[in-house]
Every structure is written in C-alpha cells, then in structure tokens.
Amino acid sequence: MPKRLLLLPSFSASSTFRARRACPAARPAMNAARTGYRVFSANSTAACTELAKRITERLGAELGKSVVYQETNGETRVEIKESVRGQDIFIIQTIPRDVNTAVMELLIMAYALKTACARTITGVIPYFPYSKQSKMRKRGSIVCKLLASMLAKAGLTHIITMDLHQKEIQGFFSFPVDNLRASPFLLQYIQEEIPNYRNAVIVAKSPDAAKRAQSYAERLRLGLAVIHGEAQCTELDMDDGRHSPPMVRNATVHPGLELPLMMAKEKPPITVVGDVGGRIAIIVDDIIDDVESFVAAAEILKERGAYKIYVMATHGILSADAPRLIEESSIDEVVVTNTVPHEVQKLQCPKIKTVDISLILSEAIRRIHNGESMAYLFRNITVDD
C-alpha cells in the first residue's frame, strides 16, 4: 500500500496573529489601561489646587502624580510622575492673578501628556482666560482665538468650561467645548440664603446684562430692573476694527464719494428702568473684576430706595482694591463661585461669599469618560442663560 503522508498545519507568526485576532480570549489584556482615567492639576500654587481636590473627592479618585514649578529664570517646568499611556486625562486648571503663568502651565502639561501617549486630554478650565478679548479692537487682535489655537496645538481634545463671557467663543475651537452654567447654583443660593427673596428684584447694571438678568427674573418669578445712562461704559461702546485706520482730516477723498457721517453717541442721564423702592436688589453678571461699576450701581439703587443689595456672579476675579471697595460700599453681599481662587480676598472682605460648583464639574468629567450624554447638565438651559 502506498504510504499516506500526514500533513500537519504549519504555524507562522502571521497565522498566530490571525488566530489571536479571531479569538478575543487569546488577546493579551491591553485594554485594561485604556478604560482608566487620571485627573491632574496644572497649578504650581497650593491655593489653586483646592478646586481640583474637591472634584477628585467627589469622583472618588486621587490627583495624578505630577510636579509643576517655576525655575529660577522664570521658566515653567512640568514632570509627569506616572504612566498615562492609553488613558483619558483631565487637566484641572484654575486661573489665579498670574494669568500668563497659568496658561503656560496648562500648555506645557497638555503637551507632556500628549507625548506620553495619553488617549484623550480634556482641559477643565472653569474660568477661561482672555475671554474678554474675543472681539477686534482697532489694530489689536482676537487673543481668545489665539489661545484656542495654542491649546489645540498643545494636544487638548476637549474643554470643559463655565459661563464663557461670550458664547461665540466656542466657535474658536476645532474640538468640542462644553460650556456649563453656574446659574442653577446661584439661583439655589438666592432661594435658600437670602431672607424674603420674594421681595427682591433682579437688576442688570447695564443693558448688555439684561438678558442674563431676565433669565434669573423669569426663573425666580421676580421683577426686573435695568440701569442705563452716562455712568455706564460697556464693551459695545469701544471702537472695534471697523473704525481702523482712523480718519485723517486732510485726506483726499474721491470727488464723487460722500459717505454718511456716523453720529457720536450721547448717553442720557443715568436712570433705573424698573421699580426698586423698598425691595432687595440683586445685581447679576458673569464676571466681577474691577468693581467700580458695581459700586456705582449700588449707590444708584440705594438712592432709588433699595434697602439691601446683593451682587452675584460666576467668576469672582476681584482684582486690585476690589475687597476694600466692596467693604466700603453700599453692597451688602457679593456671591461668587469657586471657579477662581479668592480666599485672600475673602479674608480682606467678609462680605464675599462662595458657592461651590465642583459637583457639576465632577459629573461632567464622569459623563465624558463613560461616554454618556451631557444633556442632563443642560436641562432647561436656553441660549440667553
């Protein structure tokens, strides 16, 4: 009988790879690291890490191991002390008074995590810096757009922020931006901490803030007042790029061209549209930085009969002599969130109160990492909020 040859299958590296790909159980456990996430703080000062600690406590996590410091020559150095390969990274960066240092810390940490092969890098920036420089001013520049490009180049893939000064800033980015709102926390504070708030009226210190004030008034079922007049100087009154270059008196003009002259603005005497007599006045805005305009508004409201005055805003920057001016003014209380560290200002002025917003930031981090919808965090939020 002819001999039968027993052909055995030959195994090669390629066939072994195909077998592993066909059988999921044969794969090495490489997805374990990809399912994790890490939360880092990019601040080099201890006062700015307080919000990051609150967020990680709510998440039941620990802050990632990193070192951020300034060298003797002023350069920023960032060192990541653990592996982040294949993980979702969240960088919490609160903005102190030294804005430019905080921006560099964020950029350098994002780039360090990118080169360390992080899967995604999300910047949690409660107060977005340079947000007031989002429009062209004469021969200036739109710095907010520049910062958005720098963050994308550094490696950020997502941003969580809160109450952008202009909502159109979201269009500057080439990746998703979640613009959360602090108004639910401030509304809760009004209902729980302001006695007899039903006798209050919501006040906009300028016509530009009327939409925000109207949103508060409608949700609390309260009246609305708007301060208008020559004491106010808003951003819309500043010259933008359409007036650049300025007109020259002796410039030669085409003989057949006569352009209509834009009349100069003349504001009326300061007035309060709405009744505040015998009521609690609650001034609402998104940022409290230089407080002169708020102090002036409080004086006007006192003259019109308001017996108690509150100021509420999301971001309490409180620059320069803000604590002293608030303490000496007719303002009874200033309520801000902890998007910006202001513990020093609170020691200088006991009128300043803080509302914690770490709850919504931690929930946003959890939902983004788990791939859940963010719609729950924007319930009943409208464009004007």
Side-chain angles (χ1 to χ4, degrees):
M1 295 178 61
K3 293 183 179 180
R4 294 182 180 179
L5 296 178
L6 182 60
L7 298 178
L8 297 176
S10 61
F11 291 93
S12 62
S14 59
S15 61
T16 304
F17 174 75
R18 286 195 297 269
R20 285 182 178 176
R21 184 173 59 180
C23 180
R27 292 186 192 173
M30 296 181 62
N31 289 334
R34 294 187 179 181
T35 59
Y37 71 96
R38 289 288 185 273
V39 180
F40 288 88
S41 175
N43 289 112
S44 58
T45 56
C48 297
T49 59
E50 182 62 29
L51 180 60
K53 292 178 181 178
R54 288 175 177 265
I55 291 174
T56 52
E57 286 176 3
R58 292 185 180 276
L59 290 170
E62 294 182 358
L63 275 176
K65 299 176 182 178
S66 64
V67 177
V68 182
Y69 62 96
Q70 312 301 318
E71 294 188 344
T72 54
N73 61 357
E75 293 182 356
T76 300
R77 183 174 291 274
V78 176
E79 298 176 3
I80 308 300
K81 297 295 186 179
E82 60 181 300
S83 175
V84 296
R85 184 179 296 274
Q87 298 194 16
D88 295 329
I89 302 300
F90 297 87
I91 307 174
I92 301 173
Q93 179 69 324
T94 52
I95 306 298
R97 291 189 177 185
D98 191 355
V99 177
N100 295 328
T101 298
V103 169
M104 286 305 300
E105 290 171 347
L106 177 61
L107 291 171
I108 295 173
M109 175 167 279
Y111 190 68
L113 293 165
K114 176 184 177 182
T115 55
C117 298
R119 180 169 174 265
T120 61
I121 304 174
T122 301
V124 183
I125 314 170
Y127 168 65
F128 195 81
Y130 289 98
S131 58
K132 285 189 174 182
Q133 298 190 47
S134 58
K135 298 178 181 178
M136 180 64 72
R137 305 294 184 200
K138 289 189 176 180
R139 295 181 180 87
S141 61
I142 305 177
V143 184
C144 195
K145 167 63 176 172
L146 172 63
L147 181 56
S149 301
M150 293 167 64
L151 292 172
K153 190 68 175 178
L156 288 182
T157 59
H158 199 142
I159 278 183
I160 303 171
T161 187
M162 182 164 282
D163 283 334
L164 286 170
H165 187 58
Q166 299 288 342
K167 297 179 181 64
E168 294 79 4
I169 292 175
Q170 291 176 269
F172 293 163
F173 294 87
S174 58
F175 50 79
V177 176
D178 286 312
N179 182 28
L180 303 176
R181 306 295 197 275
S183 51
F185 297 91
L186 297 176
L187 290 168
Q188 184 180 21
Y189 184 93
I190 293 174
Q191 293 174 314
E192 296 179 357
E193 302 296 334
I194 298 182
N196 195 23
Y197 81 93
R198 289 294 182 186
N199 189 36
V201 58
I202 305 298
V203 180
K205 71 178 181 69
S206 67
D208 295 338
K211 284 187 176 181
R212 182 183 299 271
Q214 181 182 0
S215 174
Y216 276 70
E218 290 175 352
R219 282 170 165 75
L220 293 169
R221 278 67 173 173
L222 299 178
L224 176 66
V226 180
I227 299 176
H228 177 59
E230 60 185 4
Q232 303 298 322
C233 180
T234 65
E235 291 185 3
L236 296 182
D237 298 327
M238 301 173 65
D239 292 336
D240 60 17
R242 291 170 292 183
H243 302 288
S244 179
M247 294 291 292
V248 181
R249 291 184 177 180
N250 298 328
T252 57
V253 183
H254 191 277
L257 181 64
E258 294 185 3
L259 296 176
L261 180 64
M262 175 64 74
M263 298 177 62
K265 287 185 177 181
E266 183 176 347
K267 290 189 175 182
I270 191 165
T271 57
V272 178
V273 181
D275 183 20
V276 297
R279 295 191 177 187
I280 302 171
I282 304 176
I283 305 174
V284 297
D285 212 334
D286 62 331
I287 299 174
I288 301 180
D289 190 358
D290 297 324
V291 299
E292 284 85 355
S293 59
F294 292 93
V295 172
E299 294 295 334
I300 295 297
L301 293 171
K302 276 289 186 182
E303 293 176 4
R304 298 297 192 275
Y307 71 90
K308 206 164 187 180
I309 299 172
Y310 291 81
V311 176
M312 311 198 75
T314 303
H315 310 296
I317 301 175
L318 303 171
S319 301
D321 293 332
R324 179 182 61 82
L325 294 175
I326 294 171
E327 186 67 24
E328 298 173 355
S329 71
S330 302
I331 299 172
D332 293 283
E333 195 169 283
V334 174
V335 183
V336 293
T337 70
N338 55 346
T339 56
V340 177
H342 52 265
E343 294 303 319
V344 175
Q345 290 90 329
K346 288 179 68 175
L347 294 175
Q348 298 172 352
C349 177
K351 291 182 179 180
I352 301 174
K353 309 296 181 183
T354 306
V355 175
D356 182 26
I357 45 81
S358 61
L359 175 63
I360 191 170
L361 293 175
S362 60
E363 180 62 14
I365 291 174
R366 189 193 67 81
R367 287 176 174 270
I368 289 174
H369 170 64
N370 293 330
E372 300 177 17
S373 172
M374 296 286 285
Y376 177 79
L377 304 182
F378 293 93
R379 292 173 302 168
N380 301 324
I381 298 295
T382 63
V383 176
D384 296 332
D385 289 327

